[in-house]
Amino acid sequence: MSEYVLELKGITKIFPGVKALNNVQFQLKPGEVHALMGENGAGKSTFIKVITGVHKAEEGEMFLNGQKVDFKGPKDAQAAGIAAVYQHPTSYPHLTVAENIFMGHEIIVHKMIQWKKMNEEANKLLGQLNADFDATAEMGTLSVAQQQMVEIAKALSTNAKIVILDEPTAALTKRESEELYRIVDHLREEGVSIIFISHRFEDMYRLASRVTVFRDSQYIGTYNVDEITNADLIKAMVGREIKDLFPKPEVQLGEEMLRVEGLSRVGYFKNVSFDVHAGEIIGLTGLVGAGRTEVVESICGITTPDEGKVYLEGQEIHIKQPSDAMKKGIILLPEDRQKEGLIMSWGLGRNVTLSTISQYAKKGFNNEPKERELAKQLLEEVDTKAVDIFQPASSLSGGNQQKVVVAKALSQEMKVVIMDEPTKGVDVGAKAEIYAIMGDLAKKGYAIVLISSEMPEILGMSDRIVVMCNGRKTGELNKDEATQERILELAMEKGQTSKEAGRS
Amino acid sequence: MKQKSTLKKITGSREFLLAVILILLFAIVTAISPSFLKPKSLMDMLKNNAVTMVMALGMLCVMLVGGIDISIMSTLALSGMSIGMLLKYGHITSTILAFVIALAIGLACGFLVGLVISRASVPPIIATMGFMYVFRALGYLVSNNGEWAGAAALGSFKNFATSSVLGINAVVWVIILCYVVFFFFMKWTRTGRKIYAVGSNPSAAEVSGINVKNIKLMVYMIMGVLAGLGGALQVSVYASAMPDMQQGGEMDVIAACVIGGVSMSGGRGTVLGALLGSLILATIAKALPLVGIGALWQNTIKGVLILVVVMVNVILQRIADRNALKGREM
Amino acid sequence: MAGKSGRSINNVPENPVKHMIFSWEGIMVLLFVLVNIFCAWFSEFYNLKSVLRQMPVYLAEIFLMLPMAYILVLGEIDISVGSIVCLSATISCLVSNTGLPFILVILISLLVGTACGAVNGFILTRFQELPPMIVTLATQIIFRGIAEIVLGEGGSVSLTNSDGFKAIGGKVGRVPYILFLVLILAVVAALILGKSTFGRRVYAIGTNRLTAYYSGIHVQKIRMLIYTLMGTFCGLCALFMVSSSYGANTTTGNGFEMDAIAMAVFGGISSTGGKGNLAGGIISAFIIVCLRVGLGQQNLHPQVILLILGLLLICAVALPNVVGEIKKALKVKKNA
Amino acid sequence: GEADGQKIALVGKSAGNAFFEIAAASFKETVEAEGGEVEVVYPEAATADAQIKVLDNLISQDFDAICISANDVNALQAKLEEAMDEGIKVSSFDSAPNADSRQVFVNQAGTVAVGQALLDAVLDIAGGEGQWAILSATSQAANQNAWIDAMKTIMESDEKYSKLDLVEVAYGDDEPQKSTDQTTALLEKYPDLKVICAPTTVGIAAAAKYLQDEKSTCKLTGLGLPSEMVEYTGADDEHSCPYFYLWDMQGLGKLSAYATISLVKGDITGALDETFTAGDLGEYTITEADDGGTEIVLGQPLEFNSDNIEEMAKLY
Ligand SMILES: Nc1ncnc2c1ncn2[C@@H]1O[C@H](COP(=O)(O)OP(=O)(O)OP(=O)(O)O)[C@@H](O)[C@H]1O
Ligand SMILES: Nc1ncnc2c1ncn2[C@@H]1O[C@H](COP(=O)(O)OP(=O)(O)OP(=O)(O)O)[C@@H](O)[C@H]1O
Ligand SMILES: [Mg+2]
Ligand SMILES: [Mg+2]
């Protein structure tokens, strides 16, 4: 037996125009949790896809238990005992959870799918994950986080020897992350080797024993987690030092900008009230499915609330659709950048200027030179890693896509900025930049609402924290009274906790 | 508790709403013309709509992967005309052979269509629009530029549509058989589920090792085979083969599926839905002359009815969704 | 101003001329020339004079192709246009026969078309869950059905006074008025789609409707407007149809939707939304017109003509895809 | 021959119509035998729009004559007038464009004669009294509407038809499926229905098949193609259609050919009372048509019954 269950050497992968991986290597020991880290666009996800046979590497070789292997497609990898949870959910929205879990390896007797058995098995897996939905639920009706759980259940269902998790915690809050840690621990005890990609350092410290770092498509090094300092690791990842991760400036609060009173939408949220002042950052947090996204979407006119009032600078406003909100200066950075934030097949430049083209148009016709200039400026301001403004958004890594969404919001006049999970899947370097942008905006006197599931981010950036649970606001904390424990307590208030107890 | 939730599931489903609409339609038509509900009359209706009903199954598969096929009635004409001419000039006499040939021609057509769509990534509506012209033209060529094969020329083949087994017409048996087979195929087999998977999220299907291209090819082949079957049924039921038969009929098949809740963007739709959808259309077609609507008005009313059915379905669905939300505890 | 890490992003577009030559439109122009050489070679009667003579009936269909291109870019489809042409033509004939001034006849024809288009738009924006294909299929049946009811038994109406229609069917020298009108409208439509903010928004909606909506684009307003305009153009087409047949009947405009879609698609405007431009659509429309005139002069069986057009359509769309795949493969190799 | 050097275009209603094919074949044969040349041209679809495109095309080529079966009475006027202005002779057959847009029309059988024959058949089959219905093509089909009108007029004008009760005129759009739906609806609505008269080939075949399969007591007559109707024709209970009519399609093609040739040669101009010789068909005189134009009537409709059907089916 070789020392490594999985070993890759000299892997090079080229996409038209980009070298995504340049002669990288990787070794996975049996029964270890190995973190893979690096900037957005470093090539982590691509590397995973090379392992599982989704992409074919131009150069390099791969050894499984010392044997050279050559996967023709994902099926081969699956057969060899490798299961992967990809970064972007690869689920079937129209099918049930059970089917999503068992797609490709359904329980078959006499060539017939055994639905009952499959549902039972799926529920068992979901039970392990403490999921609060049934296996017969339709995938499309679940929240992003719930879908992520299904993806994990899917990986578990194959009884794989190697499990790869590509940013599984990006959409998860603290509570669900804990659940995931428990599962990973459990898997490791059973002798499964795990590759874990995350931009959250707490994940790595909690789980991994070794960490491999990629930067700019290249292999930088592999370190033992307890032997490397945080600062060194960050330096390895971004190539420079980051002094202050949460550059929250002290800003003199101004006038009240946005006030929401008794906002309700049947089935989504009820009686939500809060306010934001100029220069203030309000953190809106809660567990997955608490209804945060729905609240801000109602404020911005994506959906219409059934009850409640919204005030801007003390004046009641009636917003019927997103364009009304924009005209009044309320901007939303949507949660799902691929479906709601960007036009993936379009160039970056056009994406950035999409909602503001008419502002610099001449007599209804586009002023393209000006658009290009503006796009370049904004994209550089948020430090997007891109070659030119014409390359399609789909060719960027997740974090860089998020930066384009930020750039797009910056393209217009605004008073209130609502950011829904702005750093989901964004690397430390870029995160720091996004935080810096937020700080700048606050300094300029904008009111900011930050929705986030990441505790350090909420604690580090917010002036005040609004906590939601199950569609209701359960509390509001000032910066100095907020602690992880307090927030979690509010996020799992009453009904929620008793329901949990009842189930387990 | 459990029972209640299954009941809720049934009443909340699209198919249930459709069934309600169908029953409503039946009730109205029967009230005006009581003879409508006689078994014989219903059998006639099934037999006369066999082609649409059977082909709706193929269209279901095609639409599930997010495709569409408007070449099907040309395929039908080509396969039907081919066996018509073969029978007419005595090259074949056996009914079974005629069916096999019709299916084979349909399969070949479907294969071509599927190949162009899955391998050359031509958008389905364009590819099938092209093939609609091509196959129809081939149908004309086969017919020596417009010969018909009438009842006398078809020999014993046409008897298929008049024979019955266990008191039920053979054509109706074909419908039943097709629906039963597809019901099992779509719900209980791995291949059937792959069709749903590809339609629901093609890139996910690719990643999980499903050969998306082959599945796409397969659905068009299924559609082709059923179009071939449709050709044989058409020739048998009406005892005549004409090169321009069923021109424009593809829209009925598509309408049947859409009414039956099959999504045009893929992923959603069931065999039961296709059945209900095509039954609703069949009922409309049969009822219009029966309830005494003037000939000039029949088309308009048919259009309005289709529109009303799909709109009512949307409204009912909205109400159901809203009620489900109201029931959610907070 | 470069970013914090000093990265600079290029924003200089590649040479537009070079881009154009290798684009689909470039190929289309070449094809246009080839088709004309081919037709002239095979038919002794194929010349500028005969093409100009035969063109008007086809040109009327190009009116439909223009808004249809917008609808296809939206990722949608309208198959009711032939029926709208029928209804507009019918009503305008009936109105003209009452002796109303011709200018009113024109207005009414446009109005009827616009109203029909608005009905489509209204249903589609109110019932967004419904696919356009099924809605326009239903209205296709309804609009022609209404024309049938209006026309009554006999199913046809002819002009008692055709002066007005004769006038719009007139010519400057050998060039029919309609050619000028088509060209002007085509250029305007192409500019708006390609260069205006409105056009950009149409592409945005067609590529990712949700993002467009989140970006503050009035998705439903734009859809409503385009479907309504589609109707207006049907009214325009109807006027010229009447000017060639001095009447209308229940089959007027039959199958025009497919012709219009085929022209657009052949020109590279994909039915999946967000792709292609009107320059391609317009050139392809003229290619198809020339081809039809040329093949028609061979007195080929109509089915053979359709067969050729069908194959061309498939190849036209399949070929760039296949070439694209090969190009991509080559590019990867070059990088390696 | 008579037609040396002549180039004639024959324009059909649509491709793929077996009924028209027979006439076209005989037309072509006749002209070619006389030394002329014929192009049979079809429009893409059975619409006036499509025929306009075809005519445009033909006018650009140097044809001596165009013989057309029109999809619409009035819609082709502009184009056909243009053709005549260019010196092209315009004849028509089977289905006439209006009087202004043609020089002569070859009518397969006089409208009244067809109506009379059909109505007498209905009277005979019904046994002198009872309910009957008409299953036509589309509600806009000009020929069918003319025959139906003729039947209605005759029925009112003569006492002997007074016990016949025309319950409905249904339209099957010349589609087998719709024709069958209409037939079943007729039978369900009028259980006492005695006769259906279907003056259209697709309709009569679909109805004949349905009635025969159902062993219905309701019988059928109308206009149809013998080859399509062999199986259903017979006076006994086994068959659904005792007898039906059609005209001599080959004769129609031949007569149209000779009429067109004569037009080109200038033997006739299409004026009333002119006469010409149509080969072995004999001498024909141009008479006045119902629409004010002129026509040449081929003859009486032919009856097809169990005696001659087998024989005739071989011909068409
Ligand atoms: N299908 C593709 N076509 C072209 N380029 C691609 C494709 N997929 C990835 N790339 C490029 O390859 C590089 C690596 O991307 P990858 O998604 O592997 O990054 P990552 O390390 O996973 O980043 P993140 O942390 O943001 O997820 C990026 O520059 C990206 O733009
Ligand atoms: N398409 C949908 N159909 C039905 N229910 C939905 C749908 N989308 C979301 N929900 C439900 O709405 C509720 C709140 O939505 P959502 O999950 O977006 O809230 P959230 O607090 O923003 O959570 P997160 O952003 O962490 O996913 C949840 O219970 C979720 O299950
Ligand atoms: Mg990644
Ligand atoms: Mg959310």
Side-chain angles (χ1 to χ4, degrees), chain C residues 290-317:
Chain C
C290 291
L291 204 58
R292 287 201 154 193
V293 170
L295 292 176
Q297 288 181 346
Q298 302 298 307
N299 299 322
L300 288 177
H301 194 279
Q303 292 297 329
V304 176
I305 297 179
L306 288 178
L307 185 132
I308 293 171
L309 288 175
L311 284 176
L312 255 167
L313 190 67
I314 297 167
C315 293
V317 185

Side-chain angles (χ1 to χ4, degrees), chain B residues 35 40-41 44 48-49 140 145-146 148 150-152 158 162 236-240 242 246 286 289-290 295-296 298, chain D residues 15-18 21 139 171 176-178 180-182 184-185 188-189 201 209-210 213-214 225 228 230-232:
Chain B
S35 68
K40 193 189 140 323
S41 163
D44 273 351
N48 203 29
N49 287 280
Y140 274 90
N145 279 340
W148 292 350
K158 63 180 181 297
T162 49
S236 180
V237 169
Y238 304 109
S240 89
M242 291 174 276
Q246 286 283 6
K286 175 151 180 79
L290 207 54
L296 278 176
Q298 285 183 10
Chain D
N17 187 339
E21 262 347 293
S139 59
Y171 301 93
Q177 186 169 351
K178 205 161 173 207
T180 307
D181 266 334
Q182 296 287 354
T184 51
E188 282 175 30
K189 274 199 281 193
T201 47
K209 164 118 178 93
Y210 183 78
D213 288 350
E214 295 304 315
L225 266 185
E228 286 276 299
V230 191
E231 296 264 313
Y232 313 121

Side-chain angles (χ1 to χ4, degrees), chain D residues 8-316:
Chain D
I8 299 173
L10 182 68
V11 184
K13 281 181 161 181
S14 71
N17 187 339
F19 169 81
F20 179 85
E21 262 347 293
I22 296 156
S26 127
F27 186 102
K28 195 168 166 139
E29 210 172 281
T30 310
V31 174
E32 278 168 3
E34 296 289 348
E37 227 182 282
V38 175
E39 286 281 3
V40 185
V41 192
Y42 299 98
E44 249 166 51
T47 67
D49 295 350
Q51 277 189 326
I52 287 176
K53 287 180 188 168
V54 166
L55 288 175
D56 255 334
N57 226 327
L58 295 176
I59 297 169
S60 293
Q61 306 172 40
D62 49 3
F63 280 104
D64 297 308
I66 293 173
C67 178
I68 188 167
S69 171
N71 277 329
D72 185 87
V73 181
N74 297 312
L76 306 177
Q77 184 173 347
K79 287 298 156 203
L80 290 174
E81 276 177 349
E82 195 180 328
M84 288 189 273
D85 289 346
E86 303 255 329
I88 301 171
K89 304 282 184 247
V90 175
S91 65
S92 74
F93 77 112
D94 177 38
S95 178
N98 66 24
D100 292 334
S101 39
R102 64 169 199 251
Q103 280 159 314
V104 72
F105 170 51
V106 179
N107 199 345
Q108 47 271 60
T111 309
V112 179
V114 172
Q116 184 76 54
L118 290 177
L119 195 58
D120 283 338
V122 170
L123 185 74
D124 171 41
I125 296 168
E129 58 177 0
Q131 291 184 330
W132 69 291
I134 294 173
L135 175 67
S136 182
T138 65
S139 59
Q140 300 91 33
N143 280 348
Q144 273 77 5
N145 284 348
W147 296 322
I148 293 168
D149 284 343
M151 280 194 265
K152 284 179 179 165
T153 323
I154 299 167
M155 203 159 69
E156 271 162 29
S157 64
D158 195 330
E159 191 57 23
K160 75 174 170 182
Y161 305 113
S162 64
K163 287 192 178 142
L164 285 180
D165 176 15
L166 174 58
V167 289
E168 189 173 328
V169 182
Y171 301 93
D173 288 359
D174 268 351
E175 287 169 19
Q177 186 169 351
K178 205 161 173 207
S179 301
T180 307
D181 266 334
Q182 296 287 354
T183 311
T184 51
L186 286 176
L187 293 180
E188 282 175 30
K189 274 199 281 193
Y190 313 104
D192 299 329
L193 195 68
K194 278 192 167 163
V195 183
I196 292 176
C197 173
T200 168
T201 47
V202 178
I204 197 173
K209 164 118 178 93
Y210 183 78
L211 294 177
Q212 188 150 323
D213 288 350
E214 295 304 315
K215 305 196 166 34
S216 171
T217 52
C218 178
K219 293 292 169 195
L220 183 76
T221 189
L223 303 172
L225 266 185
S227 58
E228 286 276 299
M229 294 293 292
V230 191
E231 296 264 313
Y232 313 121
T233 309
D236 51 359
D237 284 345
E238 290 292 302
H239 295 94
S240 55
C241 179
Y243 56 92
F244 64 98
Y245 294 91
L246 197 69
W247 34 88
D248 176 6
M249 288 305 291
Q250 270 126 347
L252 182 62
K254 206 169 196 175
L255 180 60
S256 308
Y258 279 113
T260 312
I261 293 171
S262 307
L263 213 53
V264 176
K265 278 178 64 186
D267 292 351
I268 55 171
T269 59
L272 209 58
D273 294 331
E274 285 176 335
T275 57
F276 70 101
T277 313
D280 54 1
L281 290 175
E283 186 131 320
Y284 277 85
T285 309
I286 298 176
T287 56
E288 187 167 353
D290 295 342
D291 62 359
T294 56
E295 66 180 15
I296 303 158
V297 179
L298 174 65
Q300 289 294 313
L302 303 178
E303 182 188 309
F304 300 101
N305 51 37
S306 50
D307 297 334
N308 65 353
I309 184 92
E310 297 278 348
E311 204 54 41
M312 298 310 279
K314 283 181 200 135
L315 290 176
Y316 49 98

Side-chain angles (χ1 to χ4, degrees), chain A residues 297 323 342 366 380 383 408, chain C residues 1 5 9 195 211 214-215:
Chain A
E297 286 189 346
S323 59
L342 295 173
N366 300 326
E380 283 174 354
D383 200 20
K408 183 173 159 188
Chain C
M1 184 189 85
S5 59
I9 300 170
K195 298 278 172 213
T211 297
Y214 273 78
S215 307

Side-chain angles (χ1 to χ4, degrees), chain A residues 44-45 87 166-167 398:
Chain A
K44 305 179 296 292
S45 301
Q87 182 172 11
D166 192 353
E167 301 201 30

Side-chain angles (χ1 to χ4, degrees), chain A residues 67-97:
Chain A
Q67 301 282 311
K68 189 169 188 296
V69 285
D70 187 17
F71 294 149
K72 295 269 177 303
K75 266 235 132 90
D76 293 349
Q78 225 175 57
I82 301 177
V85 173
Y86 296 100
Q87 182 172 11
H88 299 117
T90 49
S91 63
Y92 307 102
H94 304 95
L95 306 184
T96 67
V97 168

Side-chain angles (χ1 to χ4, degrees), chain A residues 200-219:
Chain A
R200 294 186 185 178
F201 281 85
E202 44 175 325
D203 294 344
M204 182 199 65
Y205 286 123
R206 168 69 178 73
L207 290 172
S209 48
R210 294 201 305 156
V211 52
T212 291
V213 176
F214 286 177
R215 188 174 76 225
D216 282 336
S217 319
Q218 274 166 338
Y219 173 82

Side-chain angles (χ1 to χ4, degrees), chain A residues 13-21 37-49 55 87-88 166-167 197 199 214 217 337 385 391-401 425-427, chain C residues 328:
Chain A
K13 170 74 203 165
I14 297 162
F15 289 116
V18 217
K19 214 169 208 177
L21 292 171
M37 299 189 83
E39 274 186 300
N40 292 130
K44 305 179 296 292
S45 301
T46 308
F47 183 65
I48 296 311
K49 289 187 179 160
H55 290 325
Q87 182 172 11
H88 299 117
D166 192 353
E167 301 201 30
I197 299 177
H199 291 293
F214 286 177
S217 319
R337 54 183 172 245
K385 187 186 166 196
Q391 76 186 84
S394 58
S395 70
L396 292 189
S397 70
N400 280 303
Q401 287 172 5
V426 174
D427 69 49
Chain C
K328 216 161 150 192

